[in-house]
Amino acid sequence: MKNSFYFRFFAFFLFVALALFFTACSEKSDTVNLIPEDAQIVMTLDLQSLGVKGKLQDLGELPSLSFLKDELKSEDPRVSEFFDKLMKDAKSTGIDFAQQAYIYGVVSEYSSGGVLLSLKDAGKFEAFLKEIYALEDETFEKSDKGKNSFVALSDMYCIGWNNSSALLSFFTDSESTENSIDKNAELMNPETVSPLTNNKQFKQFNAKKKDIGFWIDLGIYNEIQEFVPDVDVTMPYNFTDCYMDMCVNFEKDEVKTTVASYLSDEAKEWMKMYYAVGKDFNTKIIDVFSEKSLFLITSKFNPDIDMNDLMGMMKSQLESAGMSNDETEQLENILKEVDILLKEMGGSFVINLSDIENGIMPTPHASIAFDIKNSTTPRDYVKKLCVEHDDVIKEIDTHFEMELGLYTMYIYIDNNLGVVTLDHKVLENLVSGKSEKPNLTASPLGDKIKKYGNYGYLEMNLERYPSWVSPMLQSIPYASLAIDFLNYYDYVEFYSVNDYDGEMILKMKNVEHNSFYTYLLSIDAVITKALNF
């Protein structure tokens, strides 16, 4: 079939990506009931919301898409005319863009998956497929089975449709076009396949209806264990009845992502024994940092976690993977030292980048700080390194210094605090016993650290970086793409809401219309500039 399958596959999805908008609402579709019960991964798209927020009917005017249209026109005017027509009248496809679209996957020895769309007019959808075939001068061969119609794109891929739904499916174990049609027909028949909507957690996830959603059955791990021989990691419990979902919503000036976990009672009991997340964050460890931060990660962990069983499992897996006894023993000794060091820590740590100093090489003012219960063990460990690597690390009166090429790393340890830093100002504050003023604790970021404990922040606004950073990026051809992209973004932050759930906020600047449209503009800016290189 020459390369016609690839063209039709590309044409179908390029159109769906560019033309997600609607003009009239309709009854709620039951297309979701065609997702089979054994699907472990599902992605949902709210086509109606994305189309309105993204102003996708106007996207053809963006420079990058105008370039694509010109390229298509020069390659084949028929293709260009085809896409122009679809962009002007998306309803001519018969697809109902007022409904959710679903993409799902079944991971097993022979994986499969599909894309589900709701239809408003099956006749128009069939005409749409025929036009795609005609562009490649290929014969459109349709098969009918009851109320459903089918077209095989290849031995593995098939499109099936009826009056309400369309399913593009793939099967890695299909050996012929007839076989792919039969398999698709089985999925299109609600009497032969139990739907995933029988799953309580998936049903709750589907009811959230955000712009984009991801749902995963963590039992997929059990499946991988069975058919991938190289993956052999024994866990103290399996992941049956454990799920995660992620929902992305494009709001006015930010993109909000929520992540939720749903664990079985068995998994929760295991986590009580081995849970690595602590309960409280010690904010005193951020007093030494200035209120400004370009990159920040704080975390609270449980230093008293029992690592014996975990080390035993790791040792067993390494031995089964072919690691020698000497190598396994050496790694086990390292893990024991790590365990001892963990027991001396208080359970809070921070990674912070406060500035970037210009010089022969840019010097990041980066630091790692952690609270400790007793300084004896960590200090003895660093002193041991001084003996073993005296050409690299040395003990000074108040601290340790490690030479790293053009940089010097400082290690400071007292009875309650340990700091590893490239920032000499931080070291000076530690040695003198001073707190930086104003410091991170009293800043808006500090308020969020106190609230969440597990918190992350990345500054994306180049105006808040040193003045030399932007010109430096501009002077590097492909790095300058970052400037065009970052012009639309302010910052990104993520934090844990509780032990099982978290959120991420991507804050926009120079917002036009809303965050989704602004996101599309940022992608267009990068593509347009890249095309001009």
Side-chain angles (χ1 to χ4, degrees):
M1 298 178 69
K2 298 186 286 186
N3 291 320
S4 57
F5 159 67
Y6 299 102
F7 172 78
R8 290 193 295 271
F9 190 86
F10 172 76
F12 185 82
F13 282 104
L14 178 61
F15 163 68
V16 170
L18 296 179
L20 303 182
F21 67 92
F22 78 105
T23 56
C25 294
S26 59
E27 297 294 326
K28 186 173 179 62
S29 170
D30 60 355
T31 298
V32 65
N33 293 320
L34 296 180
I35 302 176
E37 193 174 37
D38 57 350
Q40 304 112 323
I41 303 172
V42 179
M43 176 180 178
T44 69
L45 298 169
D46 188 335
L47 304 183
Q48 172 178 329
S49 177
L50 291 172
V52 172
K53 291 179 178 180
K55 298 172 63 177
L56 296 184
Q57 67 271 30
D58 298 330
L59 284 187
E61 305 305 317
L62 294 178
S64 62
L65 293 182
S66 294
F67 175 84
L68 175 60
K69 287 165 61 178
D70 291 341
E71 286 294 302
L72 287 174
K73 191 172 184 178
S74 64
E75 289 290 329
D76 189 337
R78 295 181 305 164
V79 176
S80 179
E81 292 171 6
F82 172 69
F83 281 108
D84 278 343
K85 185 187 78 171
L86 291 179
M87 290 300 293
K88 291 176 182 177
D89 183 17
K91 291 190 295 182
S92 66
T93 64
I95 298 173
D96 187 354
F97 293 107
Q99 302 294 342
Q100 292 274 112
Y102 297 90
I103 304 172
Y104 71 85
V106 179
V107 179
S108 63
E109 184 176 2
Y110 297 104
S111 298
S112 60
V115 179
L116 279 162
L117 297 169
S118 296
L119 296 185
K120 230 174 165 36
D121 189 318
K124 288 183 178 180
F125 182 74
E126 181 175 328
F128 164 59
L129 295 178
K130 286 180 178 178
E131 282 190 83
I132 295 176
Y133 268 78
L135 290 173
E136 277 290 290
D137 300 321
E138 289 287 332
T139 303
F140 180 81
E141 298 179 357
K142 184 181 73 166
S143 299
D144 292 312
K145 292 179 181 291
K147 297 180 180 179
N148 301 319
S149 300
F150 304 90
V151 170
L153 300 178
S154 71
D155 290 347
M156 289 175 51
Y157 293 86
C158 177
I159 295 179
W161 70 95
N162 53 36
N163 287 333
S164 60
S165 305
L167 169 62
L168 169 60
S169 59
F170 75 89
F171 310 94
T172 58
D173 62 339
S174 179
E175 299 177 350
S176 66
T177 55
E178 291 79 8
N179 191 210
S180 68
I181 289 174
D182 289 341
K183 289 177 176 291
N184 193 307
E186 184 175 350
L187 290 173
M188 295 284 288
N189 185 353
E191 296 179 2
T192 61
V193 178
S194 297
L196 186 60
T197 46
N198 290 336
N199 183 296
K200 176 183 175 182
Q201 293 297 346
F202 176 78
K203 194 171 183 178
Q204 290 179 355
F205 157 75
N206 192 52
K208 294 180 182 180
K209 193 174 171 58
K210 299 299 183 182
D211 291 332
I212 301 174
F214 299 91
W215 181 87
I216 182 169
D217 179 350
L218 296 178
I220 192 173
Y221 171 85
N222 305 330
E223 297 289 336
I224 294 174
Q225 287 278 341
E226 291 182 9
F227 68 83
V228 181
D230 294 335
V231 178
D232 182 19
V233 181
T234 304
M235 295 294 287
Y237 70 95
N238 64 42
F239 290 91
T240 302
D241 296 328
C242 295
Y243 309 93
M244 286 185 66
D245 67 44
M246 180 171 72
C247 295
V248 181
N249 206 48
F250 294 94
E251 301 180 358
K252 177 60 181 178
D253 62 351
E254 66 184 27
V255 183
K256 184 176 183 180
T257 302
T258 59
V259 180
S261 303
Y262 308 91
L263 301 182
S264 65
D265 292 339
E266 181 184 1
K268 289 180 179 178
E269 285 300 315
W270 182 87
M271 290 189 72
K272 287 180 182 178
M273 297 172 59
Y274 300 101
Y275 201 39
V277 177
K279 298 301 180 184
D280 299 303
F281 183 84
N282 181 4
T283 56
K284 290 183 179 179
I285 69 172
I286 60 175
D287 285 348
V288 297
F289 301 121
S290 69
E291 63 177 347
K292 178 184 176 182
S293 184
L294 301 176
F295 173 76
L296 174 72
I297 293 179
T298 65
S299 184
K300 51 186 182 179
F301 66 94
N302 177 15
D304 298 318
I305 184 173
D306 187 348
M307 293 187 64
N308 290 326
D309 285 349
L310 294 177
M311 287 192 292
M313 285 188 293
M314 183 176 291
K315 181 180 178 181
S316 173
Q317 302 308 321
L318 293 174
E319 288 175 346
S320 65
M323 184 174 281
S324 68
N325 291 335
D326 290 343
E327 291 173 323
T328 303
E329 184 177 348
Q330 184 179 7
L331 182 59
E332 188 175 13
N333 290 334
I334 293 174
L335 290 173
K336 287 179 179 178
E337 289 186 357
V338 171
D339 188 33
I340 293 171
L341 287 172
L342 284 176
K343 295 294 187 289
E344 297 299 330
M345 293 186 179
S348 300
F349 79 88
V350 56
I351 301 173
N352 183 51
L353 173 66
S354 60
D355 202 358
I356 306 174
E357 183 180 337
N358 199 9
I360 299 174
M361 285 288 288
T363 303
H365 288 191
S367 307
I368 299 175
F370 47 89
D371 60 347
I372 53 181
K373 300 173 184 175
N374 187 330
S375 64
T376 302
T377 302
R379 184 177 289 276
D380 287 346
Y381 184 79
V382 179
K383 285 184 175 181
K384 179 182 175 184
L385 293 177
C386 289
V387 174
E388 295 175 350
H389 306 281
D390 58 353
D391 58 329
V392 176
I393 182 169
K394 300 182 184 300
E395 182 177 6
I396 314 299
D397 291 340
T398 57
H399 61 281
F400 302 89
E401 293 187 3
M402 179 181 290
E403 298 301 324
L404 301 172
L406 296 175
Y407 304 125
T408 299
M409 185 170 73
Y410 308 101
I411 303 172
Y412 177 89
I413 300 172
D414 66 17
N415 290 330
N416 305 110
L417 177 67
V419 177
V420 180
T421 183
L422 295 175
D423 189 345
H424 195 271
K425 178 67 181 299
V426 169
L427 176 68
E428 289 177 354
N429 289 340
L430 291 167
V431 172
S432 63
K434 296 179 180 178
S435 293
E436 184 73 15
K437 293 182 180 180
N439 59 36
L440 193 55
T441 309
S443 70
L445 286 178
D447 293 338
K448 293 181 179 180
I449 295 170
K450 295 170 193 174
K451 181 177 181 180
Y452 301 114
N454 297 311
Y455 178 77
Y457 176 88
L458 173 63
E459 182 63 70
M460 302 179 73
N461 189 342
L462 288 177
E463 295 174 4
R464 300 193 187 108
Y465 280 76
S467 59
W468 58 269
V469 171
S470 184
M472 183 270 292
L473 290 175
Q474 198 70 261
S475 66
I476 305 172
Y478 283 99
S480 65
L481 294 174
I483 296 178
D484 294 77
F485 181 77
L486 293 174
N487 279 338
Y488 294 89
Y489 297 91
D490 198 5
Y491 64 84
V492 60
E493 63 179 349
F494 56 90
Y495 45 86
S496 59
V497 177
N498 53 49
D499 289 346
Y500 304 112
D501 306 328
E503 293 183 355
M504 183 174 76
I505 303 294
L506 176 60
K507 199 75 171 180
M508 303 288 204
K509 64 176 184 176
N510 302 326
V511 176
E512 293 189 40
H513 195 49
N514 58 51
S515 61
F516 184 49
Y517 186 69
T518 303
Y519 166 75
L520 295 176
L521 291 178
S522 72
I523 298 298
D524 175 70
V526 172
I527 295 175
T528 301
K529 186 165 187 176
L531 291 172
N532 292 324
F533 279 154

